[in-house]
Amino acid sequence: MKSYVFLIGVAMMMVACGQKTIVEKTQSELLKERLETLQQKGYMTGHQDDPFYGVHWEYEDGKSDVLLSVGDYPGVMGFDLGGIEMGDDKNLDSVPFTRIHDELIAHHERGGIVTLSWHPRNPRTTSPDGGRMGQQFPEGSAWDVKDTTIVKGVLPGGDLHEKFQTWMQRVGDFIETLKDKDGKPVPVIFRPWHENNGSWFWWGQKLCSDSEFRGLWDMLQDYLRDERGLDNLLWSYSPNLDGQWTEERFLQRYPGNARVTLIGEDAYQWGTEEDFIKQLTADLDFINDFAKKNGKLIALTECGYKNMPDSTWYTRVLQPIMDKYPLSYFLLWRNYKEEYFGPVPGEPTADDYRKLAASEKVLMLKDIQ
Ligand code: BMA
């Protein structure tokens, strides 16, 4: 039914264009083409929450740890919607949504690319003023995984379905406000339900069946893309570093070619360097082949080495792996005082990042404008 309504919409647009039957490209299609072009040139740098705070500062206009380290912004900036579902003013990391709105648009206006993730709270256990603020973490948060019936509950017919519809509506309302100065929707790489092959979020591997997971993906996508008509979203499917992908296993939860434009992976080094290199190489071999066969873009949608115990990690460990694949971008996770993954200005990590950024294949903002 929904795809029927969608087709009628496309047909009407074609009629509206008269005999030429030109269908105007959507913002997400244009973004896809831009990513395909850029991917020929190299891979973009990216950083989560880049313009909000760093290891030694917070909320100073125009500031960014990447900018302070190399003199340019990253190509990609990532932001998180966690908390929007509750109608909160600030996200799960205390960033005001008004600020996310403004900085996301500002990065787009300066020629950068933006991506949104979403860590929605646990719809059964969260309290209205809960999440990290009012409840004892992980209770009530995306990481609250005591109960394996949450996904089932939010699907049609489930006890949480109605509540979740309001949650999706709030996400849609926020995305709808993302317009450039001419009123055109800002294209956004959207990657919900990330790291779903792990079991640390309520939508994770052991928390729902394959068909429940796919139902969850489809429900959100059908709502935002088809019902709300938000055609500025470029959908990214982002499982976590795995090390053991087979096509059969990957396909169990893959939403399908019609639903995904970019396949990403979230890859942190938590253990030894040797394991990280082995697993990431195996995964990217698999994902790259799969993406080629299926016409998809690929990226490291989150990555890093927490608090950088090794200041040469970017160029010595990460770069040689990234150089082997046609990645769109790599997004280092956020820099804040207790936990950082990006370069820290004035410290050896910044020198290493500068070396990385100087590589021909590595694209900063100025390289993509
Ligand atoms: C995690 C950590 C958390 C944060 C969450 C969402 O990896 O950085 O501190 O709340 O991402 O940004």
Side-chain angles (χ1 to χ4, degrees), residues 316-339:
R316 207 175 46 75
V317 179
L318 193 59
Q319 186 177 13
I321 305 174
M322 295 196 296
D323 279 346
K324 284 173 42 187
Y325 305 94
L327 293 168
S328 266
Y329 66 92
F330 70 103
L331 184 112
L332 294 169
W333 204 241
R334 65 203 192 111
N335 272 24
Y336 80 120
K337 42 187 182 304
E338 289 149 45
E339 180 188 75

mmCIF file of all heavy atoms in Angstrom, residues 316-339:
data_model
loop_
_atom_site.group_PDB
_atom_site.id
_atom_site.type_symbol
_atom_site.label_atom_id
_atom_site.label_comp_id
_atom_site.label_asym_id
_atom_site.label_seq_id
_atom_site.Cartn_x
_atom_site.Cartn_y
_atom_site.Cartn_z
ATOM 1 N N ARG A 316 49.621 4.495 11.384
ATOM 2 C CA ARG A 316 50.295 3.192 11.398
ATOM 3 C C ARG A 316 49.304 2.040 11.299
ATOM 4 O O ARG A 316 49.541 1.047 10.631
ATOM 5 C CB ARG A 316 51.114 3.087 12.694
ATOM 6 C CG ARG A 316 52.326 2.180 12.619
ATOM 7 C CD ARG A 316 53.123 2.242 13.912
ATOM 8 N NE ARG A 316 52.260 2.136 15.088
ATOM 9 C CZ ARG A 316 51.702 1.002 15.485
ATOM 10 N NH1 ARG A 316 51.941 -0.119 14.855
ATOM 11 N NH2 ARG A 316 50.903 0.993 16.544
ATOM 12 N N VAL A 317 48.143 2.171 11.988
ATOM 13 C CA VAL A 317 47.191 1.054 12.027
ATOM 14 C C VAL A 317 45.997 1.279 11.089
ATOM 15 O O VAL A 317 45.676 0.439 10.257
ATOM 16 C CB VAL A 317 46.697 0.814 13.482
ATOM 17 C CG1 VAL A 317 45.695 -0.328 13.537
ATOM 18 C CG2 VAL A 317 47.878 0.544 14.406
ATOM 19 N N LEU A 318 45.352 2.437 11.249
ATOM 20 C CA LEU A 318 44.104 2.667 10.511
ATOM 21 C C LEU A 318 44.328 2.963 9.018
ATOM 22 O O LEU A 318 43.668 2.389 8.150
ATOM 23 C CB LEU A 318 43.342 3.821 11.179
ATOM 24 C CG LEU A 318 41.897 4.015 10.768
ATOM 25 C CD1 LEU A 318 41.063 2.773 11.054
ATOM 26 C CD2 LEU A 318 41.287 5.222 11.509
ATOM 27 N N GLN A 319 45.265 3.869 8.746
ATOM 28 C CA GLN A 319 45.446 4.316 7.356
ATOM 29 C C GLN A 319 45.781 3.183 6.377
ATOM 30 O O GLN A 319 45.162 3.108 5.311
ATOM 31 C CB GLN A 319 46.502 5.419 7.297
ATOM 32 C CG GLN A 319 46.631 6.019 5.911
ATOM 33 C CD GLN A 319 47.631 7.156 5.865
ATOM 34 O OE1 GLN A 319 48.404 7.361 6.797
ATOM 35 N NE2 GLN A 319 47.610 7.896 4.774
ATOM 36 N N PRO A 320 46.744 2.293 6.719
ATOM 37 C CA PRO A 320 47.058 1.235 5.742
ATOM 38 C C PRO A 320 45.844 0.365 5.413
ATOM 39 O O PRO A 320 45.708 -0.100 4.286
ATOM 40 C CB PRO A 320 48.136 0.403 6.446
ATOM 41 C CG PRO A 320 48.708 1.287 7.496
ATOM 42 C CD PRO A 320 47.615 2.221 7.907
ATOM 43 N N ILE A 321 44.941 0.187 6.371
ATOM 44 C CA ILE A 321 43.736 -0.608 6.079
ATOM 45 C C ILE A 321 42.814 0.217 5.176
ATOM 46 O O ILE A 321 42.341 -0.263 4.151
ATOM 47 C CB ILE A 321 42.974 -1.003 7.373
ATOM 48 C CG1 ILE A 321 43.904 -1.724 8.355
ATOM 49 C CG2 ILE A 321 41.774 -1.888 7.030
ATOM 50 C CD1 ILE A 321 43.273 -2.027 9.700
ATOM 51 N N MET A 322 42.582 1.458 5.564
ATOM 52 C CA MET A 322 41.642 2.289 4.804
ATOM 53 C C MET A 322 42.103 2.479 3.363
ATOM 54 O O MET A 322 41.282 2.544 2.442
ATOM 55 C CB MET A 322 41.451 3.647 5.484
ATOM 56 C CG MET A 322 40.790 3.526 6.849
ATOM 57 S SD MET A 322 40.126 5.084 7.492
ATOM 58 C CE MET A 322 41.592 6.076 7.704
ATOM 59 N N ASP A 323 43.423 2.584 3.166
ATOM 60 C CA ASP A 323 43.955 2.813 1.817
ATOM 61 C C ASP A 323 43.604 1.696 0.840
ATOM 62 O O ASP A 323 43.634 1.884 -0.367
ATOM 63 C CB ASP A 323 45.480 2.974 1.877
ATOM 64 C CG ASP A 323 45.886 4.389 2.285
ATOM 65 O OD1 ASP A 323 45.019 5.287 2.249
ATOM 66 O OD2 ASP A 323 47.072 4.597 2.633
ATOM 67 N N LYS A 324 43.273 0.522 1.381
ATOM 68 C CA LYS A 324 43.017 -0.637 0.500
ATOM 69 C C LYS A 324 41.598 -0.696 -0.063
ATOM 70 O O LYS A 324 41.306 -1.519 -0.911
ATOM 71 C CB LYS A 324 43.266 -1.931 1.298
ATOM 72 C CG LYS A 324 44.740 -2.220 1.485
ATOM 73 C CD LYS A 324 45.039 -3.384 2.407
ATOM 74 C CE LYS A 324 44.164 -4.615 2.253
ATOM 75 N NZ LYS A 324 44.431 -5.622 3.298
ATOM 76 N N TYR A 325 40.689 0.146 0.479
ATOM 77 C CA TYR A 325 39.279 0.007 0.082
ATOM 78 C C TYR A 325 38.700 1.345 -0.402
ATOM 79 O O TYR A 325 39.124 2.406 0.054
ATOM 80 C CB TYR A 325 38.453 -0.509 1.274
ATOM 81 C CG TYR A 325 38.997 -1.790 1.831
ATOM 82 C CD1 TYR A 325 39.888 -1.781 2.901
ATOM 83 C CD2 TYR A 325 38.645 -3.019 1.258
ATOM 84 C CE1 TYR A 325 40.417 -2.967 3.400
ATOM 85 C CE2 TYR A 325 39.167 -4.205 1.750
ATOM 86 C CZ TYR A 325 40.057 -4.169 2.826
ATOM 87 O OH TYR A 325 40.583 -5.341 3.306
ATOM 88 N N PRO A 326 37.697 1.262 -1.272
ATOM 89 C CA PRO A 326 37.078 2.511 -1.761
ATOM 90 C C PRO A 326 36.076 3.088 -0.765
ATOM 91 O O PRO A 326 34.886 3.214 -1.049
ATOM 92 C CB PRO A 326 36.385 2.056 -3.052
ATOM 93 C CG PRO A 326 36.048 0.619 -2.810
ATOM 94 C CD PRO A 326 37.122 0.073 -1.919
ATOM 95 N N LEU A 327 36.579 3.450 0.402
ATOM 96 C CA LEU A 327 35.686 3.970 1.454
ATOM 97 C C LEU A 327 35.218 5.385 1.101
ATOM 98 O O LEU A 327 35.964 6.162 0.511
ATOM 99 C CB LEU A 327 36.439 4.050 2.784
ATOM 100 C CG LEU A 327 36.879 2.747 3.445
ATOM 101 C CD1 LEU A 327 37.860 3.047 4.576
ATOM 102 C CD2 LEU A 327 35.665 1.997 3.987
ATOM 103 N N SER A 328 34.000 5.708 1.527
ATOM 104 C CA SER A 328 33.521 7.085 1.389
ATOM 105 C C SER A 328 34.123 7.961 2.483
ATOM 106 O O SER A 328 34.527 9.081 2.249
ATOM 107 C CB SER A 328 32.011 7.140 1.579
ATOM 108 O OG SER A 328 31.355 7.066 0.380
ATOM 109 N N TYR A 329 34.095 7.432 3.687
ATOM 110 C CA TYR A 329 34.604 8.223 4.811
ATOM 111 C C TYR A 329 34.877 7.341 6.020
ATOM 112 O O TYR A 329 34.487 6.169 6.043
ATOM 113 C CB TYR A 329 33.611 9.337 5.194
ATOM 114 C CG TYR A 329 32.283 8.864 5.765
ATOM 115 C CD1 TYR A 329 32.089 8.701 7.135
ATOM 116 C CD2 TYR A 329 31.201 8.583 4.929
ATOM 117 C CE1 TYR A 329 30.858 8.279 7.648
ATOM 118 C CE2 TYR A 329 29.973 8.168 5.434
ATOM 119 C CZ TYR A 329 29.819 8.014 6.797
ATOM 120 O OH TYR A 329 28.606 7.595 7.308
ATOM 121 N N PHE A 330 35.576 7.908 6.976
ATOM 122 C CA PHE A 330 35.705 7.260 8.297
ATOM 123 C C PHE A 330 35.344 8.318 9.332
ATOM 124 O O PHE A 330 35.755 9.471 9.226
ATOM 125 C CB PHE A 330 37.116 6.702 8.522
ATOM 126 C CG PHE A 330 38.190 7.743 8.696
ATOM 127 C CD1 PHE A 330 38.698 8.046 9.957
ATOM 128 C CD2 PHE A 330 38.692 8.442 7.601
ATOM 129 C CE1 PHE A 330 39.691 9.013 10.130
ATOM 130 C CE2 PHE A 330 39.681 9.415 7.757
ATOM 131 C CZ PHE A 330 40.175 9.703 9.019
ATOM 132 N N LEU A 331 34.512 7.935 10.276
ATOM 133 C CA LEU A 331 34.037 8.903 11.276
ATOM 134 C C LEU A 331 34.591 8.520 12.650
ATOM 135 O O LEU A 331 34.208 7.496 13.222
ATOM 136 C CB LEU A 331 32.503 8.910 11.314
ATOM 137 C CG LEU A 331 31.903 9.949 12.264
ATOM 138 C CD1 LEU A 331 31.184 11.041 11.467
ATOM 139 C CD2 LEU A 331 30.916 9.341 13.239
ATOM 140 N N LEU A 332 35.540 9.343 13.127
ATOM 141 C CA LEU A 332 36.070 9.114 14.478
ATOM 142 C C LEU A 332 35.005 9.563 15.460
ATOM 143 O O LEU A 332 34.318 10.569 15.232
ATOM 144 C CB LEU A 332 37.356 9.908 14.687
ATOM 145 C CG LEU A 332 38.543 9.460 13.815
ATOM 146 C CD1 LEU A 332 39.675 10.481 13.893
ATOM 147 C CD2 LEU A 332 39.046 8.079 14.234
ATOM 148 N N TRP A 333 34.865 8.816 16.564
ATOM 149 C CA TRP A 333 33.828 9.185 17.534
ATOM 150 C C TRP A 333 34.240 10.438 18.307
ATOM 151 O O TRP A 333 35.306 11.000 18.079
ATOM 152 C CB TRP A 333 33.512 7.976 18.423
ATOM 153 C CG TRP A 333 32.136 8.059 19.022
ATOM 154 C CD1 TRP A 333 31.832 8.109 20.349
ATOM 155 C CD2 TRP A 333 30.881 8.114 18.304
ATOM 156 N NE1 TRP A 333 30.458 8.201 20.499
ATOM 157 C CE2 TRP A 333 29.861 8.206 19.269
ATOM 158 C CE3 TRP A 333 30.531 8.113 16.954
ATOM 159 C CZ2 TRP A 333 28.504 8.298 18.920
ATOM 160 C CZ3 TRP A 333 29.184 8.194 16.608
ATOM 161 C CH2 TRP A 333 28.197 8.288 17.588
ATOM 162 N N ARG A 334 33.407 10.857 19.229
ATOM 163 C CA ARG A 334 33.517 12.201 19.801
ATOM 164 C C ARG A 334 34.744 12.395 20.699
ATOM 165 O O ARG A 334 35.297 11.434 21.233
ATOM 166 C CB ARG A 334 32.233 12.511 20.575
ATOM 167 C CG ARG A 334 31.987 11.626 21.788
ATOM 168 C CD ARG A 334 30.526 11.580 22.166
ATOM 169 N NE ARG A 334 30.326 10.971 23.482
ATOM 170 C CZ ARG A 334 29.922 11.644 24.552
ATOM 171 N NH1 ARG A 334 29.704 12.928 24.489
ATOM 172 N NH2 ARG A 334 29.743 11.024 25.695
ATOM 173 N N ASN A 335 35.092 13.647 20.871
ATOM 174 C CA ASN A 335 36.165 14.052 21.781
ATOM 175 C C ASN A 335 35.534 14.775 22.945
ATOM 176 O O ASN A 335 35.063 15.900 22.773
ATOM 177 C CB ASN A 335 37.068 15.091 21.100
ATOM 178 C CG ASN A 335 38.196 14.472 20.312
ATOM 179 O OD1 ASN A 335 38.090 13.328 19.900
ATOM 180 N ND2 ASN A 335 39.256 15.226 20.096
ATOM 181 N N TYR A 336 35.474 14.164 24.077
ATOM 182 C CA TYR A 336 35.101 14.975 25.232
ATOM 183 C C TYR A 336 36.017 14.615 26.377
ATOM 184 O O TYR A 336 36.898 13.760 26.208
ATOM 185 C CB TYR A 336 33.617 14.882 25.550
ATOM 186 C CG TYR A 336 33.124 13.686 26.314
ATOM 187 C CD1 TYR A 336 32.488 13.842 27.538
ATOM 188 C CD2 TYR A 336 33.264 12.402 25.809
ATOM 189 C CE1 TYR A 336 32.008 12.739 28.227
ATOM 190 C CE2 TYR A 336 32.781 11.309 26.488
ATOM 191 C CZ TYR A 336 32.163 11.478 27.705
ATOM 192 O OH TYR A 336 31.688 10.400 28.386
ATOM 193 N N LYS A 337 35.867 15.286 27.502
ATOM 194 C CA LYS A 337 36.969 15.187 28.461
ATOM 195 C C LYS A 337 37.252 13.781 28.986
ATOM 196 O O LYS A 337 38.398 13.433 29.243
ATOM 197 C CB LYS A 337 36.840 16.203 29.597
ATOM 198 C CG LYS A 337 35.470 16.401 30.164
ATOM 199 C CD LYS A 337 35.486 17.551 31.152
ATOM 200 C CE LYS A 337 34.157 17.788 31.820
ATOM 201 N NZ LYS A 337 33.025 18.022 30.919
ATOM 202 N N GLU A 338 36.194 12.973 29.103
ATOM 203 C CA GLU A 338 36.448 11.634 29.646
ATOM 204 C C GLU A 338 36.746 10.590 28.591
ATOM 205 O O GLU A 338 37.151 9.481 28.915
ATOM 206 C CB GLU A 338 35.207 11.164 30.417
ATOM 207 C CG GLU A 338 34.998 11.903 31.703
ATOM 208 C CD GLU A 338 33.525 12.002 32.038
ATOM 209 O OE1 GLU A 338 32.827 10.975 31.910
ATOM 210 O OE2 GLU A 338 33.077 13.103 32.416
ATOM 211 N N GLU A 339 36.467 10.922 27.348
ATOM 212 C CA GLU A 339 36.584 9.890 26.322
ATOM 213 C C GLU A 339 36.815 10.584 24.985
ATOM 214 O O GLU A 339 36.019 11.425 24.606
ATOM 215 C CB GLU A 339 35.261 9.123 26.291
ATOM 216 C CG GLU A 339 35.188 8.021 25.293
ATOM 217 C CD GLU A 339 33.763 7.449 25.204
ATOM 218 O OE1 GLU A 339 32.891 8.103 24.609
ATOM 219 O OE2 GLU A 339 33.554 6.358 25.715
#
